[in-house]
Amino acid sequence: MPGGPSAGGGGGIGGTKRNNFAGIALTAFSAFGGILFGYDTGVINGVKEMKDWLRTFGYPDPSAPSGYSISSANESLVVSILSAGTFFGALLGAPMAGIGPTHF
């Protein structure tokens, strides 16, 4: 039989509803990760514009609307560190959950 069993439709994994659901679930899970990454980036950008945060970590700048500013190098460093923190926090979440108590 030229083409093997996949050409005739016999063999392989098959097109069951379970396999379709697994594909949809994996796709939705991946998309949800992208949504959370975008939300995280939006939160970081919102925090960078807060007057109290700029007053604490920035420097006085009379030309800025809030009266304080932060250099672009420090701003990119803050975004990078927070993004790295979310990455490593996600990696360590499951092992740390297994160490702690299961009931409170």
Side-chain angles (χ1 to χ4, degrees):
M1 156 187 327
S6 62
I13 296 175
T16 65
K17 288 185 178 183
R18 180 174 180 231
N19 290 334
N20 290 339
F21 177 74
I24 292 171
L26 287 173
T27 304
F29 186 73
S30 300
F32 194 64
I35 290 170
L36 288 178
F37 179 74
Y39 178 77
D40 182 45
T41 305
V43 168
I44 292 170
N45 286 329
V47 167
K48 289 187 315 185
E49 299 300 321
M50 291 173 56
K51 291 180 183 180
D52 198 34
W53 189 87
L54 284 171
R55 193 177 312 121
T56 304
F57 297 106
Y59 58 88
D61 184 10
S63 64
S66 65
Y68 291 90
S69 185
I70 188 168
S71 68
S72 60
N74 286 342
E75 186 174 346
S76 64
L77 184 65
V78 166
V79 172
S80 299
I81 288 172
L82 288 174
S83 293
T86 57
F87 175 75
F88 288 113
L91 286 179
L92 293 174
M96 294 302 289
I99 292 173
T102 57
H103 300 289
F104 289 101

